[in-house]
Amino acid sequence: MASPEIEALTTALARLPGLGPRSARRAVLHLLKKREAALGPLLNALMAVEERLSTCSICGNIDTTNPCGICADQRRDARALCVVEEVADLWALDRSRLFPGRFHVLGGRLSALEGVRPEDLAIDSLVRRIADGGIDEVVLAMNATLEGQTTAHYIAERIERFPVRITQLAHGLPVGGELDYLDEGTLAQALRARRPVS
């Protein structure tokens, strides 16, 4: 029987996505066995992130700086803006290194069943970014779900009055799939085959 502190650590890890109680126990045992090489650095990294964590005031990304590293990167193409549902989607697309522009995180997707309305998402701030000018293309990179496509159509209607090209990721992404779980090859093909929203 483990001490209450070790049990608390196991329980906390088991709450993370992809880790159940057994995986959490294995992770805790590894951390305890490799205390100096694994536990200390993990603890230091967690404390550093906890102290500096912030949400980017421009795009909604989560980072340890504000504005985030993506928005502050002058090498990024400020004329191309990719709109995603969640931070995990931004990270998945950025990992592919195929989109040279900037991002905008909505913080979810429209859903009548879950009671998520347009005012619950960062759509107004998106419209303001586009209205400020300097953006030539808006890529709607919503998940290939009914709610994701509904969100994309709603945004397309809200921004169609601006002189921007509106595109979306190509179909062929798995229906019901989420960007964070796709491989880089699938993401690369989807980005290359973007097409205008009709």
Side-chain angles (χ1 to χ4, degrees):
M1 194 72 180
S3 71
E5 294 84 3
I6 293 173
E7 283 298 321
L9 176 59
T10 304
T11 302
L13 288 176
R15 289 190 190 115
L16 295 173
L19 287 181
R22 294 173 98 181
S23 297
R25 274 193 294 278
R26 281 195 296 274
V28 167
L29 283 172
H30 174 75
L31 290 170
L32 295 177
K33 285 180 183 177
K34 308 284 186 182
R35 180 184 299 176
E36 290 181 20
L39 185 59
L42 176 62
L43 187 59
N44 291 338
L46 286 170
M47 289 190 324
V49 167
E50 195 271 335
E51 288 172 6
R52 301 182 62 204
L53 191 64
S54 65
T55 300
C56 180
S57 57
I58 298 171
C59 73
N61 188 15
I62 296 173
D63 203 343
T64 55
T65 59
N66 185 16
C68 71
I70 293 172
C71 289
D73 187 349
Q74 295 300 315
R75 296 169 297 178
R76 292 256 180 191
D77 184 359
R79 295 167 300 155
L81 185 66
C82 184
V83 182
V84 295
E85 294 176 20
E86 300 287 353
V87 171
D89 302 328
L90 182 158
W91 289 0
L93 285 167
D94 196 48
R95 260 194 325 266
S96 75
R97 302 197 188 290
L98 294 167
F99 183 72
R102 307 260 169 102
F103 292 91
H104 187 89
V105 180
L106 296 174
R109 60 183 170 239
L110 298 175
S111 174
L113 290 175
E114 296 173 12
V116 180
R117 302 162 303 171
E119 54 269 19
D120 298 324
L121 304 176
I123 295 174
D124 287 340
S125 61
L126 169 65
V127 173
R128 283 193 298 274
R129 283 181 80 179
I130 296 167
D132 286 345
I135 296 173
D136 297 333
E137 180 185 10
V138 175
V139 181
L140 300 176
M142 310 295 103
N143 288 314
T145 61
L146 178 61
E147 293 89 355
Q149 295 311 301
T150 300
T151 305
H153 288 295
Y154 177 81
I155 292 171
E157 288 177 1
R158 287 277 310 266
I159 64 175
E160 68 184 354
R161 70 181 190 265
F162 298 107
V164 295
R165 191 171 130 225
I166 305 169
T167 60
Q168 66 183 16
L169 294 183
H171 289 283
L173 296 174
V175 175
E178 295 185 11
L179 294 176
D180 190 36
Y181 295 102
L182 299 177
D183 65 287
E184 291 179 11
T186 302
L187 284 171
Q189 185 59 33
L191 275 169
R192 284 190 200 105
R194 307 192 291 274
R195 60 182 177 79
V197 175
S198 53

